[in-house]
Amino acid sequence: QKEVEQNSGPLSVPEGAIASLNCTYSDRGSQSFFWYRQYSGKSPELIMSIYSNGDKEDGRFTAQLNKASQYVSLLIRDSQPSDSATYLCAVSASGTYKYIFGTGTRLKVLA
Amino acid sequence: ETGVTQSPTHLIKTRGQQVTLRCSSQSGHNTVSWYQQALGQGPQFIFQYYREEENGRGNFPPRFSGLQFPNYSSELNVNALELDDSALYLCASSARGTQETQYFGPGTRLLVL
């Protein structure tokens, strides 16, 4: 089992729809969770961080964390073509400061 | 506020050569982490530097080494380059704390021929 798992996609949604990206992790002691966006040929850009169970909203983005189910998700409302990118889920391993990344989910927003 | 910078942006080397990649951390950050991202994969943790010492290492051989300087900038050195070392090398800086968030530089794309 991979430490952080994401569906590689591509996930295609029409413009204006809600995109739902999911991530599961194996280390129950993980404490910090991050979503990064990566455009092709560019470096990852932080979108959201979440540390407690529940929802955290920032503009069109909502991160959801469920530690009991070892699941973190990212919702993008009113998706725009400019949201088309690979979304990386990162988990901070317990007892360390390193991030463990999933392979990313490629999102395509269709105009 | 100055963001994370990396140099060079691109590099081509041949097998067996050595390479040094450089990173300047974001203003106010004292920790630097290095990651390797192969095509189609997520970044893989190489190591982290804090207060000029290595503070955690991923599953990479000793030919991957690093340094951190008093101004918190950092170098990644790779000896005896192999074809599989071709990747995007990412530097991320953060401020030491209980919930530190890492911010990435633009990366160095290394091609080993």
Side-chain angles (χ1 to χ4, degrees):
Chain A
Q1 181 190 9
K2 290 183 181 177
E3 294 178 272
V4 178
E5 293 205 55
Q6 296 181 256
N7 187 318
S8 61
L11 171 67
S12 295
V13 299
E15 184 175 357
I18 295 175
S20 177
L21 305 163
N22 304 315
C23 172
T24 59
Y25 59 94
S26 60
D27 184 354
R28 284 199 168 273
S30 298
Q31 298 174 345
S32 304
F33 307 86
F34 306 88
W35 283 100
Y36 287 84
R37 176 175 62 198
Q38 187 172 28
Y39 291 111
S40 181
K42 302 295 185 183
S43 65
E45 172 192 9
L46 180 71
I47 299 175
M48 297 276 290
S49 59
I50 187 166
Y51 308 103
S52 305
N53 279 330
D55 294 0
K56 179 181 178 183
E57 187 174 317
D58 183 0
R60 295 186 297 114
F61 299 97
T62 299
Q64 299 174 316
L65 175 61
N66 184 326
K67 290 186 179 180
S69 300
Q70 295 173 249
Y71 176 93
V72 58
S73 65
L74 179 70
L75 300 178
I76 306 175
R77 288 181 299 281
D78 187 24
S79 295
Q80 301 298 309
S82 58
D83 294 326
S84 298
T86 295
Y87 289 80
L88 295 163
C89 171
V91 174
S92 181
S94 56
T96 78
Y97 294 102
K98 74 175 185 180
Y99 285 13
I100 301 173
F101 283 84
T103 55
T105 297
R106 190 165 144 239
L107 174 66
K108 296 176 77 172
V109 181
L110 307 172
Chain B
E1 186 178 274
T2 306
V4 182
T5 60
Q6 291 186 244
S7 62
T9 55
H10 296 82
L11 206 50
I12 300 175
K13 292 285 188 178
T14 55
R15 265 188 315 175
Q17 285 189 311
Q18 178 264 342
V19 68
T20 297
L21 310 181
R22 295 178 174 82
C23 170
S24 291
S25 60
Q26 183 170 313
S27 176
H29 287 181
N30 54 15
T31 303
V32 172
S33 304
W34 286 93
Y35 293 83
Q36 179 196 66
Q37 186 176 24
L39 207 58
Q41 301 298 314
Q44 298 291 312
F45 176 75
I46 303 175
F47 43 56
Q48 183 180 86
Y49 277 83
Y50 171 63
R51 289 187 175 176
E52 302 176 52
E53 292 192 359
E54 188 179 289
N55 179 52
R57 188 178 184 94
N59 189 25
F60 282 82
R63 60 190 185 83
F64 285 78
S65 63
L67 283 173
Q68 187 180 32
F69 300 99
N71 65 354
Y72 307 124
S73 65
S74 178
E75 286 183 354
L76 165 64
N77 299 290
V78 186
N79 293 322
L81 284 166
E82 300 177 0
L83 297 180
D84 285 349
D85 295 333
S86 295
L88 179 67
Y89 287 84
L90 296 162
C91 164
S93 77
S94 55
R96 179 65 91 196
T98 57
Q99 294 179 339
E100 62 182 49
T101 301
Q102 297 184 10
Y103 296 89
F104 285 88
T108 294
R109 190 163 297 280
L110 173 65
L111 177 61
V112 182
L113 301 175

